[in-house]
Amino acid sequence: MEQYKGVLILGEIADGKLAPITSELLGIGKKLADELAEDLSVLLMGGKAGGLAKEAIAYGADKVYIAEDSLFDEYNSDAYTQLVANLCQKVLPSILLIGHTDIGCDLAPRLNGRLGGGLAMDVNELSIDHTTKLLVSTRPIFGGNAYARVISKTARPQMATVRSKVFPPAERDESKQGQVIPVEEKVDPSAIKVRVIERIREEVEGVKLEEAEVVVSGGHGIGSAKNFEMLWELARLLGGTVGATRRSCDEGWIPVTRQIGQSGKVVSPKLYFAVALSGAMSHIVGCLGSKYIVAINKDPEANIFNIAHFGIVADYKEVLPALTAKFKELLSAK
Amino acid sequence: MNIIVCVKQVPDPEIPPAKFKIDTETKKVIPPPGVPPVISVYDERAVEAACRLKDKHKGKITVISIGSEKAIEVVRHAISMGADEGFVLQDEPFENLDSFGTAYVLGKAIQKIGNYDLILCGRQAADWGAGQVGSILAEILGLPLVTFAFDIQLEDKRFKVKRILKDGYEVVEVPMPALMTVSSEIGLPRLPAGMGLMLARRKQIPIWKAKDIGADPTQLDKTKAHTEITEIFIPKRETHCELITGATPADAAANLALKLIKLI
Ligand SMILES: Cc1cc2nc3c(=O)[nH]c(=O)nc-3n(C[C@H](O)[C@H](O)[C@H](O)COP(=O)(O)OP(=O)(O)OC[C@H]3O[C@@H](n4cnc5c(N)ncnc54)[C@H](O)[C@@H]3O)c2cc1C
Ligand SMILES: Nc1ncnc2c1ncn2[C@@H]1O[C@H](COP(=O)(O)O)[C@@H](O)[C@H]1O
């Protein structure tokens, strides 16, 4: 076990730049590496990875592994698993941090299976235990109703996936020096069993959920796809957008890409309207970062009233039109 | 087509959060009295995915579950939806396994069943929700893996699968046999009805022990677990909800707008 040393970050590249999650992982990774007095490294994969090495060093990496091959420009589970597993078996990192992204959610558990490590998914806290020097990961259990602290006593690497915006990005230091190491190994094409045929990105109407300042979310109590129009009216007026619970998505009232919560998106607007939704923790973990949560629900016992800052106990159909009308009046007077 | 689905029994995740209690000493969840455990949400959708394939292509669906003897209930539920048979894996060494232990036991049972074209898991269990058993199992069995599947079609002995992404989806092709983890976007599961319910009630559901599947006890040694939970807790939240009222709901809404306009 002693031969496992250092913190390795799986870097992600988006639009030719380091993805925000990568600088965030470098930030927390640096903290952990410093506490262990070990190195921080990052792996960058893709046809243009080499050009980003300097950037990664400025964000704190001591070593940058570069797998410069356009094969990695698009994510393929088989190719990535093979390359990252091979590198880990050579470099023997003690800690491996991966984004809780489309890539990470697929790659991390599989890589763990191949390497025989110890993985905690979707962590919101990471620290080093002072006496044992083990990584302590905190992650939601029971849909966010509780949290667990997880360690790996002997399995290596100690792995975790982290959602974006959980940790602040690393600070830049242009003068920082680091080492760039090419990864020479090639992926064995016969190990690629899964072929990606196409990737469809859904066009979003208006503001992106993750960037919206106002989100109006509707739950199962909304009752129909048509009724969601009431939520859209309020959202558009306030320059925001519409979200949903899983039950609303299950009903097909709204696209699944608008689901908020543990298995959907995490949003942090100034204002979050929770309309006709009960406030299950697996939904709430997706909006806890909101500045103000406003609940509209006809059931005074609904859990959402334990979470919200403001609330109205009533049928939303009698509340929303009046709310939108009043906002319209107030905004035009402004 | 022969499909094996891994299903887990979990405490009902839809109880109100106020009723959710934990024992920090034993690091266990205290199931609310009188609320029966259920089939884990995504596993039920995995059964649905299997049934849809069977509707179209015929074949046999086998479900397996590691758990207590009560897990027979979730196997029966799957049979009532359309599965053909099932086994419960219950034994002392199978208790409190980590993800690797769970995948190991499932793998052994799957090898015993043999002759499969597709293995389905949920993307994440609704209780401890490690989100990795399916992927580890694929590695153990050396099978191609597709995660977060929500549409599975069979075309010329290959699967064409849609998998959900944060802002869309991806279409991938894999050879048979393969393992997939199923996501909720596949849609609502069917309700058990008539024939299925009757078959489920009558079906014998064998219980397999470690020796029945040839599980090596050293693989299940808890001191060698890959991960260990050292603490569980419920975070304290102290928000006070200010209820806005008015003569009518519309008045309350107007009052709310007056409050919020100052904050944005
Ligand atoms: C592993 C796992 C992951 C999950 N991930 C997610 C996730 O990412 N996101 C998510 O949202 N859920 C998720 N869920 C599901 C979650 O547990 C709940 O089932 C879901 O959030 C409930 O949706 P809801 O509040 O819309 O419906 P319900 O719980 O049915 O609530 C409907 C509410 O509407 C109110 N209502 C009804 N009619 C009206 C009316 N006319 N006016 C006002 N109020 C009205 C009712 O009082 C009730 O409170 C997950 C569950 C599990 C087990
Ligand atoms: N005890 C179990 N019995 C059967 N299948 C299980 C069990 N635990 C996990 N699984 C399967 O693995 C999936 C992922 O579980 P997890 O990695 O624990 O979140 C579940 O959705 C099930 O399909």
Side-chain angles (χ1 to χ4, degrees):
Chain A
M1 220 174 71
E2 289 68 36
Q3 68 271 35
Y4 288 88
K5 279 211 166 23
V7 179
L8 176 65
I9 308 291
L10 181 95
E12 283 188 44
I13 298 171
D15 305 321
K17 291 194 288 244
L18 286 188
I21 182 67
T22 303
S23 55
E24 292 161 20
L25 290 178
L26 282 164
I28 179 70
K30 173 95 179 119
K31 259 176 114 172
L32 301 173
D34 284 352
E35 268 178 63
L36 294 166
E38 290 174 9
D39 274 354
L40 174 66
S41 359
V42 59
L43 166 64
L44 298 177
M45 317 167 68
K48 299 207 172 70
L52 296 169
K54 253 191 139 151
E55 182 81 357
I57 292 168
Y59 277 121
D62 299 304
K63 282 184 201 150
V64 184
Y65 294 96
I66 299 287
E68 199 161 58
D69 189 335
S70 53
L71 173 70
F72 302 123
D73 285 347
E74 295 288 330
Y75 178 70
N76 177 291
S77 182
D78 296 323
Y80 269 57
T81 305
Q82 197 186 119
L83 187 107
V84 184
N86 285 348
L87 184 76
C88 286
Q89 277 155 353
K90 229 161 72 188
V91 176
L92 304 180
S94 170
I95 295 175
L96 173 61
L97 303 182
I98 301 178
H100 194 78
T101 55
D102 282 335
I103 293 179
C105 287
D106 180 77
L107 182 65
R110 193 166 177 208
L111 203 53
N112 186 38
R114 194 160 299 182
L115 294 170
L119 167 66
M121 301 274 290
D122 200 6
V123 308
N124 62 339
E125 275 175 51
L126 285 168
S127 61
I128 302 289
D129 182 279
H130 290 296
T131 41
T132 59
K133 298 285 174 201
L134 294 174
L135 178 70
V136 184
S137 306
T138 306
R139 67 172 196 86
I141 53 172
F142 290 81
N145 277 301
Y147 286 78
R149 296 203 207 282
V150 185
I151 57 163
S152 296
K153 279 201 180 128
T154 52
R156 292 292 175 275
Q158 308 167 85
M159 298 168 64
T161 66
V162 185
R163 264 181 218 259
S164 75
K165 298 201 183 125
V166 169
F167 296 109
E171 277 173 39
R172 266 187 86 104
D173 173 5
E174 301 294 344
S175 66
K176 170 108 177 48
Q177 298 290 310
Q179 201 184 346
V180 181
I181 306 162
V183 180
E184 304 290 1
E185 259 160 274
K186 292 280 168 255
V187 168
D188 170 10
S190 72
I192 299 183
K193 304 272 194 253
V194 180
R195 208 165 60 85
V196 180
I197 299 171
E198 54 178 340
R199 199 165 276 146
I200 286 99
R201 296 267 167 221
E202 223 145 79
E203 289 302 317
V204 284
E205 183 186 337
V207 204
K208 278 183 86 174
L209 265 173
E210 292 93 331
E211 287 155 17
E213 297 264 314
V214 175
V215 174
V216 186
S217 269
H220 195 250
I222 297 296
S224 72
K226 190 166 153 278
N227 288 350
F228 261 90
E229 192 45 45
M230 264 187 260
L231 280 69
W232 273 112
E233 264 173 50
L234 178 61
R236 282 197 205 103
L237 179 70
L238 300 178
T241 191
V242 170
T245 63
R246 198 183 60 203
R247 289 202 68 193
S248 300
C249 295
D250 274 350
E251 296 287 353
W253 297 338
I254 185 156
V256 293
T257 44
R258 296 207 169 263
Q259 181 176 317
I260 289 170
Q262 192 188 30
S263 35
K265 294 200 162 75
V266 174
V267 296
S268 44
K270 271 208 189 109
L271 203 49
Y272 189 85
F273 289 93
V275 188
L277 62 85
S278 61
M281 287 317 293
S282 43
H283 177 76
I284 294 307
V285 291
C287 66
L288 268 182
S290 311
K291 189 140 184 234
Y292 298 105
I293 298 177
V294 181
I296 302 168
N297 195 304
K298 66 178 184 190
D299 174 10
E301 300 296 316
N303 187 57
I304 191 64
F305 291 115
N306 298 320
I307 311 285
H309 304 88
F310 302 101
I312 293 183
V313 180
D315 187 331
Y316 84 93
K317 291 194 209 88
E318 294 175 37
V319 174
L320 272 192
L323 187 63
T324 308
K326 187 71 184 180
F327 266 124
K328 211 174 259 170
E329 179 196 315
L330 293 169
L331 287 170
S332 62
K334 246 190 181 176
Chain B
M1 179 162 36
N2 293 317
I3 308 172
I4 301 175
V5 191
C6 304
V7 299
K8 186 177 190 184
Q9 188 174 47
V10 299
D12 190 343
E14 297 301 343
I15 59 161
K19 291 219 168 77
F20 182 84
K21 298 271 174 337
I22 58 174
D23 181 344
T24 50
E25 281 301 309
T26 58
K27 292 171 261 179
K28 290 239 164 72
V29 167
I30 306 166
V35 185
V38 296
I39 182 171
S40 187
V41 195
Y42 297 111
D43 303 0
E44 188 178 26
R45 305 220 178 176
V47 175
E48 173 62 27
C51 291
R52 288 184 195 173
L53 284 164
K54 183 175 146 179
D55 290 345
K56 234 176 157 171
H57 305 282
K58 303 239 167 14
K60 182 173 167 192
I61 302 171
T62 308
V63 288
I64 51 175
S65 184
I66 310 174
S68 70
E69 271 163 41
K70 276 208 213 121
I72 286 185
E73 288 312 314
V74 294
V75 173
R76 277 198 209 289
H77 179 77
I79 294 174
S80 71
M81 287 173 67
D84 298 276
E85 62 171 1
F87 304 93
V88 166
L89 297 142
Q90 183 275 321
D91 204 352
E92 200 273 323
F94 299 167
E95 285 163 24
N96 303 315
L97 293 173
D98 71 351
S99 303
F100 276 87
T102 305
Y104 173 77
V105 173
L106 292 173
K108 281 288 172 191
I110 288 167
Q111 279 159 349
K112 179 176 166 114
I113 296 164
N115 190 28
Y116 51 79
D117 304 301
L118 177 63
I119 292 167
L120 295 177
C121 287
R123 67 180 273 181
Q124 181 181 32
D127 52 359
W128 296 91
Q132 40 184 303
V133 165
S135 305
I136 298 173
L137 183 56
E139 286 293 315
I140 290 176
L141 297 171
L143 290 175
L145 168 71
V146 181
T147 54
F148 314 131
F150 70 96
D151 182 275
I152 308 170
Q153 303 296 334
L154 180 68
E155 290 176 11
D156 300 329
K157 301 221 169 243
R158 293 177 74 80
F159 293 109
K160 202 165 173 185
V161 191
K162 288 189 184 152
R163 57 186 297 271
I164 195 82
L165 300 175
K166 294 226 158 60
D167 290 304
Y169 65 94
E170 195 171 75
V171 185
V172 302
E173 217 179 60
V174 268
M176 277 199 324
L179 188 147
M180 296 174 203
T181 73
V182 174
S183 193
S184 61
E185 291 77 12
I186 189 161
L188 292 170
R190 64 195 61 197
L191 294 170
M195 235 352 222
L197 281 169
M198 210 179 69
L199 286 173
R201 248 189 322 249
R202 288 206 191 134
K203 193 83 194 169
Q204 276 290 331
I205 295 161
I207 299 207
W208 282 350
K209 305 276 174 194
K211 64 170 177 9
D212 297 318
I213 55 171
D216 171 3
T218 61
Q219 292 279 338
L220 301 173
D221 180 351
K222 307 266 159 19
T223 64
K224 294 204 189 92
H226 288 243
T227 48
E228 202 176 295
I229 289 169
T230 57
E231 183 190 347
I232 65 172
F233 62 97
I234 298 178
K236 278 217 171 28
R237 290 206 176 83
E238 277 156 20
T239 41
H240 168 72
C241 182
E242 183 183 340
L243 288 182
I244 314 288
T245 52
T248 62
D251 288 341
N255 291 337
L256 176 64
L258 285 167
K259 265 235 142 65
L260 296 178
I261 199 87
K262 293 188 202 118
L263 303 174
I264 55 172

